[in-house]
Amino acid sequence: VAQATVKLYANIPNATVSSTTLTDGSGVTSVTFPNPAIFDIKATYGTKSGTGIIQLDIGQTNNATVIVR
C-alpha cells in the first residue's frame, strides 16, 4: 500500500528505540540501524493496520512483509 505509515519499535530496559516512515508508491520502505536488533512492526493505512516482526543483522538486507487489512 502506498503512503502507509510503518513504525519499527523495540522496547528495551530503560529505553524505546523506534523509527517511523512512509511507504513509497510500490508499498516499500527502508530503514537503516547501526546495530543488530529485533523490532516489532506496525503498518497503518487509514483505519486498516497490520503487524509483524523483523530481525536486523549488521551488513545484511533483511525484508519483512506486513499485510494491512
Side-chain angles (χ1 to χ4, degrees):
V1 174
Q3 298 301 302
T5 301
V6 179
K7 180 177 182 180
L8 273 66
Y9 58 98
N11 294 317
I12 55 176
N14 302 316
T16 298
V17 178
S18 68
S19 174
T20 302
T21 60
L22 290 176
T23 58
D24 64 15
S26 299
V28 175
T29 191
S30 176
V31 179
T32 301
F33 284 93
N35 297 312
I38 298 173
F39 287 96
D40 291 302
I41 306 168
K42 181 167 187 181
T44 56
Y45 183 74
T47 59
K48 299 176 181 181
S49 66
T51 59
I53 191 165
I54 189 167
Q55 180 173 332
L56 303 180
D57 299 306
I58 293 175
Q60 294 185 12
T61 299
N62 304 100
N63 299 301
T65 300
V66 176
I67 298 178
V68 177
R69 300 177 194 212

